[in-house]
Amino acid sequence: MEVQTWTYLIVGFTFALYIGIAIWSRAKSTKDFYIAGGNISPISNGMATAADWMSAASFISMAGLIAFSGYGGSVFLMGWTGGYVLLAFLVAPYLRKYGKFTVPEFIGERFYSNTARVVAVVCLILVSVTYVIGQMKGVGVAFSRFLETDYNNGLFIGMGIVFFYAVLGGMKGITYTQIAQYVVLIFAYTVPAIFISLELTGNPIPQLGLGGEVSDGIPLLQKLDTVITDLGFGEYTTSVMGSKLNMFAYTLSLMIGTAGLPHVIIRFFTVKKVSDARLSAGWALIFIAILYTTAPAVAAMARLNFTKTIQTEKVGVKAGNIEYEKRPDWFKNWEKTGLLRFEDWNGDGRIQYYNDINGLGKARLALKNAEGELAELRKSEGVQDAELAVIEQRVNQARSKLGEVSAKHEETPFAKHGWQGNEMVTVDKDIIVLANPEIAKLPGWVIALVVAGGLAAALSTAAGLLLAISSSISHDLLKGIMLPAITEKQELRASRCAMVGAILLAGYFGVNPPDFAAGTVAIAFGLAASSIFPVLMMGIFSKKMNRQGAIAGMIAGIGITLLYVFQHKGIMFVPGTTFLGDMEENWFFGITPNAFGAVGAIVNFTVALIVSKTGQDPPEEIQKMVEDIRLPQVGER
């Protein structure tokens, strides 16, 4: 059976399952919609939490990022798993004991301020919308390849599926759907990994295969190091993401951002008691560990298979590079999506893929694009001379840049081979996990299963995020502040309308995401780290933190983080609105925009503590409430 047929069958079955569950578990009350009635078992909630947690960034993007970053990509593994431990021990049990529906509701009551609640809602929406953009990128990538449509159409299909089961079922429908999605995604992730590990190392356990030997008796990681260093890339096992400071900031941002994610926190409101919240966290860690311990093996094996597909023999030998006309079918299929792209810079009909340290390929591509834009403009009618002059200047600048880079290129070892720049001008990191089974020539049903898993991962998290957005708008803003007299039925209707709006907004930004899936999600974690995590920690563990300090801290933390991100990624991620561009020389102490949440968190804590000292202590009843949240009562479980 063809891969396409398998894909329609398996993806169609899983979508029918999700929609069927949504109809069966339709929310009939606000309690059902917000917290699934509050009676989910710890194991079920742990599985649903794992699905909610393991988004497109974990399933589709994390292994791709590690594959091309090597050891440096481990910041995602360390940050996300470490952050979940923080969430389980420092946040979830206390907020469950408090017993409300949403994170902004806790912040509003803890800091006895509707203003604090509104600021928390704004922070939550910014975090959740940024996060859901990454999920939509994953949905678009998966659909664009395997349902043979373009990226935008794939995105719109995914939006429609999420719209149906999230709007209809609320948290109750989402919870049971996420349990099914966890089964699908974990099976889809581990089965191909077992196949590939067995093929490369003879060991069916990927975690052990990573430390095993390939067919020629060389350890897998040593073989990978040799293959990519021959092409000028850094050693896989020692590569880092920027400086040590950036690695630390990135890990810290992901870690504390994890503990401040509202859509994950609200999952612990769905169980009966505090002890169940702790058990849920333990089960979720077990379910998450299955994928997270497999990801490094998937990454290493995918990078080796991908590189050896192009560089088939020794570097420098003409026959060592695969002929473009003989590229495999998986390569052709991904080219159709635009996520994989080749330019034959030296005209030899073969693919050169190497570490183009001086950026010769990029310089050639910039000139080609500028010349193409100029040619199109000259064909247009009514073009002003000033417009032509701007584009002509850009062409001249690109040509000058190419001349400079070409001179530097002559000094590289690859120049003697006749290579004129890296010819793989686009290799989207998000395709690696989805393409891996095709690269390894696995059966069609395995390839289709991976598609279903990737979609399950993206859709499960998107649904949780959209619920967090809608509940903050309907419950915190509408019911909590603006229209407290509305009925439960009206609040439920408002929640569903808010979710529709959130879906449309996420789809709009998903068309032009600021980064690959994991990179976009990292920005969301940074926003959570700089705004929500500090105020939760101070709200739970500091009786003396007052409302002025909390409000000032949230505004300062998320404000400086957004400023830094927007000046490098564009205002609201709109192309062409960057101030400084995403260039390393403009980074603060070498810290990337994706990792800046750690700095924002420090600013938040600092401002909150300083401002708090200038105001009055919180009322006695608030201080007593903090003590009651932290300290277990006699006989409490």
Side-chain angles (χ1 to χ4, degrees):
M1 194 181 297
E2 294 292 324
V3 171
Q4 200 64 31
T5 306
W6 275 117
T7 302
Y8 283 125
L9 284 174
I10 294 178
V11 172
F13 170 77
T14 57
F15 280 3
L17 177 65
Y18 306 153
I19 292 171
I21 291 172
I23 295 172
W24 167 72
S25 58
R26 182 175 181 177
K28 296 180 176 64
S29 67
T30 53
K31 191 172 184 181
D32 280 345
F33 193 87
Y34 292 138
I35 59 173
N39 58 3
I40 303 297
S41 71
I43 294 179
S44 297
N45 193 50
M47 194 175 291
T49 303
D52 203 351
W53 171 247
M54 291 189 296
S55 62
S58 292
F59 188 98
I60 296 175
S61 195
M62 182 172 64
L65 185 107
I66 297 172
F68 288 96
S69 302
Y71 168 74
S74 64
V75 298
F76 283 83
L77 289 172
M78 294 185 291
W80 283 341
T81 51
Y84 198 85
V85 174
L86 288 180
L87 174 65
F89 284 99
L90 298 181
V91 180
Y94 302 109
L95 293 191
R96 174 59 190 86
K97 185 177 179 182
Y98 183 65
K100 297 295 182 178
F101 284 166
T102 68
V103 172
E105 187 172 17
F106 166 76
I107 293 173
E109 293 192 15
R110 162 59 184 87
F111 295 105
Y112 48 100
S113 168
N114 279 339
T115 303
R117 191 171 182 174
V118 171
V119 173
V121 168
V122 173
C123 292
L124 183 150
I125 291 173
L126 287 169
V127 170
S128 299
V129 169
T130 305
Y131 201 144
V132 83
I133 292 170
Q135 309 318 303
M136 292 305 179
K137 169 74 190 299
V139 170
V141 169
F143 271 122
S144 66
R145 161 62 187 90
F146 292 103
L147 297 186
E148 294 187 344
T149 183
D150 65 24
Y151 171 82
N152 288 349
N153 286 336
L155 177 65
F156 299 143
I157 293 171
M159 287 168 58
I161 298 294
V162 173
F163 167 83
F164 191 92
Y165 75 78
V167 172
L168 187 67
M171 178 60 89
K172 187 175 181 181
I174 287 170
T175 295
Y176 292 112
T177 301
Q178 285 174 336
I179 292 170
Q181 287 169 328
Y182 176 79
V183 174
V184 171
L185 75 87
I186 205 65
F187 191 61
Y189 203 86
T190 54
V191 167
I194 290 169
F195 270 96
I196 295 169
S197 179
L198 194 60
E199 179 183 306
L200 285 177
T201 68
N203 194 320
I205 302 175
Q207 292 87 338
L208 299 179
L210 181 63
E213 297 179 346
V214 291
S215 57
D216 52 7
I218 300 174
L220 172 65
L221 290 174
Q222 182 180 330
K223 179 75 172 180
L224 179 56
D225 274 344
T226 301
V227 168
I228 64 175
T229 52
D230 284 348
L231 292 170
F233 296 102
E235 277 191 343
Y236 186 82
T237 52
T238 59
S239 295
V240 296
M241 293 178 66
S243 64
K244 289 183 180 179
L245 177 61
N246 185 63
M247 288 276 286
F248 174 79
Y250 217 138
T251 304
L252 181 61
S253 179
L254 294 173
M255 188 177 293
I256 61 178
T258 297
L261 288 176
H263 77 288
V264 177
I265 293 172
I266 61 175
R267 287 236 53 93
F268 295 98
F269 299 162
T270 65
V271 294
K272 295 179 181 179
K273 50 185 183 283
V274 176
S275 60
D276 286 350
R278 294 191 179 98
L279 283 173
S280 294
W283 279 111
L285 278 171
I286 292 171
F287 293 132
I288 290 168
I290 297 173
L291 187 146
Y292 272 44
T293 57
T294 306
V298 171
M301 294 171 188
R303 179 71 181 276
L304 182 62
N305 280 336
F306 176 79
T307 305
K308 288 186 70 65
T309 295
I310 297 172
Q311 191 67 42
T312 56
E313 294 181 30
K314 185 178 178 181
V315 175
V317 178
K318 186 176 181 180
N321 297 94
I322 189 172
E323 292 182 45
Y324 180 69
E325 294 300 323
K326 295 181 180 179
R327 67 198 187 283
D329 289 339
W330 70 263
F331 196 109
K332 297 175 184 177
N333 291 332
W334 281 102
E335 278 186 302
K336 295 174 185 176
T337 69
L339 301 173
L340 198 67
R341 183 180 169 193
F342 162 77
E343 292 282 353
D344 193 6
W345 298 126
N346 63 356
D348 66 351
R350 294 179 181 271
I351 304 174
Q352 279 85 46
Y353 171 61
Y354 67 105
N355 186 16
D356 188 2
I357 56 174
N358 292 317
L360 182 60
K362 287 184 178 179
R364 290 186 182 281
L365 187 61
L367 178 58
K368 181 178 179 180
N369 290 339
E371 289 178 335
E373 188 178 351
L374 181 60
E376 287 297 318
L377 197 61
R378 283 173 172 166
K379 292 178 184 177
S380 304
E381 295 181 3
V383 178
Q384 300 294 322
D385 290 342
E387 293 180 78
L388 280 174
V390 170
I391 305 302
E392 286 172 348
Q393 183 180 11
R394 192 182 304 167
V395 169
N396 291 331
Q397 288 173 342
R399 190 173 288 123
S400 175
K401 178 68 174 177
L402 178 58
E404 294 175 13
V405 172
S406 296
K408 293 179 182 178
H409 175 72
E410 293 305 314
E411 302 171 4
T412 67
F414 297 101
K416 66 180 181 181
H417 304 320
W419 295 3
Q420 293 298 307
N422 174 28
E423 296 180 340
M424 291 303 304
V425 295
T426 301
V427 181
D428 195 301
K429 298 180 181 71
D430 290 341
I431 75 172
I432 291 301
V433 169
L434 296 175
N436 203 20
E438 289 185 282
I439 298 172
K441 300 178 181 178
L442 298 186
W445 68 269
V446 178
I447 297 170
L449 184 64
V450 173
V451 185
L455 291 171
L459 296 175
S460 63
T461 302
L465 289 162
L466 293 167
L467 180 67
I469 295 170
S470 69
S471 61
S472 67
I473 293 173
S474 61
H475 185 71
D476 291 302
L477 289 184
L478 196 63
K479 175 73 173 178
I481 298 174
M482 298 169 64
L483 298 170
I486 62 172
T487 65
E488 184 175 303
K489 187 176 181 180
Q490 289 172 323
E491 184 183 350
L492 189 59
R493 187 183 301 120
S495 296
R496 290 189 165 121
C497 290
M499 190 174 284
V500 171
I503 291 171
L504 295 175
L505 183 65
Y508 170 78
F509 285 116
V511 172
N512 290 298
D515 211 328
F516 57 95
T520 303
V521 167
I523 295 172
F525 277 71
L527 296 177
S530 64
S531 60
I532 298 173
F533 175 78
V535 76
L536 288 180
M537 288 296 94
M538 291 182 288
I540 294 170
F541 296 103
S542 173
K543 293 192 300 181
K544 301 297 184 180
M545 179 54 60
N546 59 26
R547 61 187 176 189
Q548 294 91 341
I551 294 168
M554 284 190 288
I555 293 173
I558 200 165
I560 194 169
T561 304
L562 280 175
L563 177 63
Y564 191 76
V565 169
F566 285 171
Q567 69 183 3
H568 291 287
K569 300 287 186 180
I571 300 173
M572 293 306 296
F573 313 125
V574 175
T577 60
T578 59
F579 297 109
L580 300 177
D582 198 11
M583 297 181 291
E584 187 172 353
E585 57 267 28
N586 293 326
W587 292 345
F588 177 75
F589 285 104
I591 298 174
T592 68
N594 303 49
F596 199 74
V599 179
I602 294 171
V603 171
N604 187 327
F605 276 116
T606 303
V607 170
L609 290 171
I610 292 173
V611 172
S612 184
K613 294 294 184 183
T614 65
Q616 295 181 340
D617 289 345
E620 285 297 324
E621 62 270 21
I622 297 297
Q623 296 190 44
K624 187 177 184 305
M625 182 187 79
V626 175
E627 288 182 352
D628 290 342
I629 291 173
R630 288 211 314 267
L631 301 177
Q633 304 299 315
V634 177
E636 181 183 59
R637 297 188 63 220

Coordinates of all heavy atoms in Angstrom, one line a residue, residues 481-510:
I481 N -14.3 40.4 36.3 CA -14.1 41.9 36.4 C -15.2 42.7 35.7 O -15.9 43.5 36.3 CB -12.8 42.3 35.9 CG1 -11.6 41.6 36.7 CG2 -12.6 43.8 35.9 CD1 -10.2 41.9 36.2
M482 N -15.4 42.4 34.5 CA -16.3 43.3 33.7 C -17.8 43.0 33.9 O -18.6 43.9 34.1 CB -16.0 43.1 32.2 CG -14.5 43.5 31.8 SD -14.0 43.0 30.2 CE -15.2 44.0 29.2
L483 N -18.2 41.7 33.8 CA -19.6 41.4 34.0 C -19.8 40.3 35.0 O -20.2 39.1 34.6 CB -20.2 41.0 32.6 CG -20.2 42.0 31.5 CD1 -20.5 41.4 30.1 CD2 -21.2 43.1 31.8
P484 N -19.6 40.5 36.2 CA -19.7 39.5 37.3 C -21.1 38.9 37.4 O -21.2 37.8 38.0 CB -19.3 40.2 38.6 CG -19.5 41.6 38.3 CD -19.3 41.8 36.8
A485 N -22.1 39.5 36.9 CA -23.5 39.0 37.1 C -23.9 38.0 36.0 O -25.0 37.5 36.0 CB -24.5 40.2 37.1
I486 N -23.1 37.7 35.0 CA -23.5 36.8 33.9 C -23.7 35.4 34.4 O -23.1 35.0 35.4 CB -22.5 36.8 32.7 CG1 -21.1 36.3 33.2 CG2 -22.4 38.2 32.1 CD1 -20.2 36.1 32.1
T487 N -24.6 34.7 33.8 CA -24.9 33.3 34.2 C -23.8 32.4 33.7 O -23.0 32.7 32.9 CB -26.3 32.9 33.6 OG1 -26.1 32.8 32.1 CG2 -27.4 33.8 33.9
E488 N -23.9 31.1 34.3 CA -22.9 30.1 33.9 C -23.0 29.8 32.4 O -22.0 29.6 31.7 CB -23.1 28.9 34.7 CG -22.1 27.8 34.4 CD -22.3 26.6 35.4 OE1 -22.2 26.8 36.6 OE2 -22.4 25.5 34.9
K489 N -24.3 29.8 31.9 CA -24.5 29.5 30.5 C -23.9 30.5 29.6 O -23.2 30.3 28.6 CB -26.0 29.4 30.2 CG -26.3 28.9 28.8 CD -27.8 28.7 28.6 CE -28.2 28.2 27.2 NZ -29.6 28.0 27.0
Q490 N -24.0 31.8 30.0 CA -23.4 32.9 29.2 C -21.9 32.9 29.3 O -21.2 33.2 28.3 CB -24.0 34.2 29.8 CG -25.4 34.5 29.5 CD -25.9 35.7 30.2 OE1 -25.6 36.0 31.3 NE2 -26.8 36.5 29.5
E491 N -21.4 32.5 30.4 CA -19.9 32.4 30.6 C -19.4 31.3 29.7 O -18.3 31.4 29.1 CB -19.5 32.1 32.0 CG -18.0 32.1 32.3 CD -17.7 31.8 33.7 OE1 -18.6 31.8 34.6 OE2 -16.5 31.6 34.0
L492 N -20.1 30.2 29.6 CA -19.7 29.1 28.8 C -19.7 29.5 27.3 O -18.7 29.1 26.6 CB -20.6 27.9 29.0 CG -20.2 26.5 28.4 CD1 -18.8 26.1 28.9 CD2 -21.2 25.5 28.7
R493 N -20.7 30.2 26.9 CA -20.8 30.7 25.5 C -19.6 31.6 25.2 O -19.0 31.6 24.2 CB -22.1 31.4 25.3 CG -22.3 31.7 23.8 CD -23.7 32.5 23.6 NE -24.8 31.7 24.0 CZ -25.6 32.1 25.0 NH1 -25.5 33.2 25.6 NH2 -26.6 31.3 25.3
A494 N -19.3 32.5 26.2 CA -18.2 33.5 26.0 C -16.9 32.7 25.9 O -16.0 33.1 25.1 CB -18.2 34.4 27.2
S495 N -16.7 31.7 26.7 CA -15.5 30.9 26.6 C -15.3 30.3 25.2 O -14.2 30.3 24.7 CB -15.5 29.7 27.6 OG -15.6 30.2 28.9
R496 N -16.4 29.8 24.7 CA -16.2 29.2 23.3 C -16.0 30.3 22.3 O -15.2 30.0 21.3 CB -17.5 28.4 23.0 CG -17.7 27.1 23.9 CD -18.8 26.3 23.4 NE -18.7 24.9 24.0 CZ -19.6 24.3 24.8 NH1 -20.7 25.0 25.1 NH2 -19.4 23.1 25.3
C497 N -16.6 31.4 22.4 CA -16.3 32.5 21.5 C -14.9 33.0 21.6 O -14.2 33.2 20.6 CB -17.3 33.7 21.7 SG -19.0 33.4 21.3
A498 N -14.4 33.1 22.8 CA -13.0 33.5 23.0 C -12.0 32.5 22.4 O -11.0 32.8 21.8 CB -12.7 33.6 24.5
M499 N -12.4 31.2 22.5 CA -11.5 30.2 21.9 C -11.5 30.3 20.4 O -10.4 30.1 19.7 CB -12.0 28.8 22.3 CG -11.0 27.7 22.0 SD -11.4 26.1 22.6 CE -11.0 26.3 24.3
V500 N -12.6 30.6 19.8 CA -12.7 30.8 18.3 C -11.8 31.9 17.9 O -11.0 31.8 17.0 CB -14.1 31.0 17.8 CG1 -14.1 31.5 16.4 CG2 -15.0 29.8 18.0
G501 N -11.8 33.0 18.6 CA -11.0 34.1 18.4 C -9.5 33.8 18.5 O -8.7 34.2 17.7
A502 N -9.2 33.0 19.5 CA -7.8 32.6 19.8 C -7.3 31.7 18.7 O -6.1 31.8 18.2 CB -7.7 31.9 21.1
I503 N -8.1 30.8 18.2 CA -7.7 30.0 17.0 C -7.4 30.8 15.8 O -6.4 30.6 15.1 CB -8.8 28.9 16.7 CG1 -8.9 27.9 17.9 CG2 -8.6 28.2 15.4 CD1 -10.1 27.0 17.8
L504 N -8.3 31.8 15.5 CA -8.1 32.6 14.3 C -6.8 33.4 14.5 O -6.0 33.6 13.5 CB -9.3 33.5 14.1 CG -10.6 32.8 13.8 CD1 -11.7 33.9 13.7 CD2 -10.5 32.1 12.4
L505 N -6.5 34.0 15.7 CA -5.3 34.7 15.9 C -4.1 33.9 15.8 O -3.1 34.3 15.1 CB -5.4 35.4 17.3 CG -4.2 36.3 17.7 CD1 -4.2 37.5 16.8 CD2 -4.3 36.7 19.2
A506 N -4.1 32.7 16.3 CA -3.0 31.8 16.2 C -2.7 31.4 14.8 O -1.5 31.3 14.3 CB -3.2 30.5 17.1
G507 N -3.8 31.2 14.0 CA -3.6 30.8 12.6 C -3.0 32.0 11.8 O -2.1 31.8 11.0
Y508 N -3.4 33.2 12.1 CA -2.8 34.4 11.5 C -1.3 34.4 11.7 O -0.5 34.6 10.7 CB -3.5 35.6 12.0 CG -2.8 36.9 11.5 CD1 -3.0 37.4 10.2 CD2 -2.0 37.6 12.4 CE1 -2.4 38.6 9.8 CE2 -1.4 38.8 11.9 CZ -1.6 39.3 10.6 OH -1.0 40.4 10.2
F509 N -0.9 34.3 12.9 CA 0.6 34.4 13.2 C 1.3 33.1 12.7 O 2.5 33.2 12.4 CB 0.8 34.6 14.7 CG 0.5 36.0 15.1 CD1 -0.5 36.3 16.1 CD2 1.3 37.1 14.6 CE1 -0.7 37.6 16.5 CE2 1.0 38.4 15.0 CZ 0.0 38.6 16.0
G510 N 0.6 32.0 12.7 CA 1.2 30.8 12.2 C 1.6 30.8 10.8 O 2.5 30.0 10.3

